[in-house]
Amino acid sequence: MSTKRAPARAYFLRRLYQKSAHIFAGSLIQGFAMGVFLFPHSIPSGGGAGIAVLLNYWFGMPMSLGLWLTNISFLLFAVHYLGRISAIGTIMVITVTSVSVNYFEVYFHSPFANVWVNLLIGSLFLGIGISILFRERVTNGGIGFVALAIAKRKRINPGSALFWMNGGIFLLTAIVIDWKIIIQALLCQWLSTRIVKWLHTPSVIGKRPLYFMAWRRK
């Protein structure tokens, strides 16, 4: 019996290693996008990042710490409705992304001074990172879990719930800091969404819908 189970165990461990490596890589790439290109210009890549920008503006809290606290809080709020198993991968994403944001903010700086060039490059890397995470069926932040929980409870479209949550946070950030932020945030979301859709491979991801990003059903 143990001989028969050995190949299955080896396959499971190999798949677990591959999945963890992909999640780590996707988190690292999106952390690179935020820490080097987006956060230095206070451009939020999502609702959680928007709150992190506000915490940094109001209290001087490091972006990486604000991002981690915000996403973990969202995740803990929604895990009761959506289950613990699917939250494990998201915890890994949140932690690796936050640590990498802190590292890249300190040791790497964009070679470009123009905010729009940084927005373009940051959105490109962000879309690549999110695409890798989606292929492993994990969300890129805790706010996606809240949107899914609201959608489950209220029986509404998860994409609509996430749109209004992110939109409200972006609007508040723009009012408090600079009105241009909402334009930059929306453009970042649109560009990263294009990258995700471009890299989306149905044969890999399958036909199961993914609702973890704003403004679209996947």
Side-chain angles (χ1 to χ4, degrees):
M1 181 66 70
S2 59
T3 305
K4 293 181 180 180
R5 290 180 177 176
R9 179 180 176 84
Y11 172 80
F12 171 78
L13 292 175
R14 184 170 63 253
R15 181 67 188 103
L16 180 62
Y17 172 79
Q18 291 174 345
K19 187 178 183 70
S20 300
H22 292 162
I23 292 175
F24 182 86
S27 304
L28 194 67
I29 292 171
Q30 79 166 0
F32 173 72
M34 295 176 187
V36 177
F37 300 103
L38 301 177
F39 280 175
H41 300 284
S42 298
I43 302 173
S45 56
I51 295 178
V53 169
L54 287 171
L55 291 174
N56 176 263
Y57 181 81
W58 282 329
F59 308 110
M61 181 180 293
M63 293 283 200
S64 55
L65 179 59
L67 185 68
W68 188 85
L69 288 174
T70 300
N71 279 315
I72 286 293
S73 299
F74 281 133
L75 185 63
L76 293 177
F77 172 81
V79 71
H80 173 73
Y81 300 96
L82 300 170
R84 296 181 180 88
I85 295 178
S86 56
I88 294 175
T90 303
I91 291 174
M92 180 179 176
V93 171
I94 292 169
T95 303
V96 173
T97 298
S98 299
V99 172
S100 61
V101 164
N102 183 70
Y103 176 81
F104 288 124
E105 278 186 323
V106 174
Y107 295 104
F108 288 83
H109 301 282
S110 172
F112 308 104
N114 187 280
V115 62
W116 300 103
V117 174
N118 283 293
L119 171 62
L120 177 63
I121 298 174
S123 301
L124 172 65
F125 279 107
L126 183 66
I128 293 172
I130 292 171
S131 296
I132 296 173
L133 297 175
F134 280 2
R135 291 184 183 183
E136 298 303 330
R137 300 193 184 281
V138 293
T139 176
N140 65 318
I143 195 169
F145 262 62
V146 176
L148 287 173
I150 293 173
K152 184 177 179 181
R153 188 176 182 86
K154 301 294 185 180
R155 297 188 179 183
I156 60 175
N157 186 292
S160 299
L162 194 51
F163 170 81
W164 290 109
M165 290 178 66
N166 278 346
I169 294 171
F170 291 160
L171 180 60
L172 177 61
T173 307
I175 292 172
V176 171
I177 302 177
D178 191 333
W179 66 268
K180 287 184 287 189
I181 286 179
I182 193 168
I183 298 175
Q184 293 164 346
L186 290 171
L187 184 57
C188 176
Q189 285 279 307
W190 184 82
L191 289 171
S192 61
T193 296
R194 297 304 99 191
I195 298 298
V196 170
K197 288 189 175 182
W198 181 59
L199 295 176
H200 176 85
T201 6
S203 60
V204 176
I205 300 179
K207 297 181 179 179
R208 180 181 173 185
L210 298 173
Y211 298 119
F212 296 141
M213 280 287 286
W215 296 292
R216 64 192 184 276
R217 292 175 61 184
K218 290 175 282 297

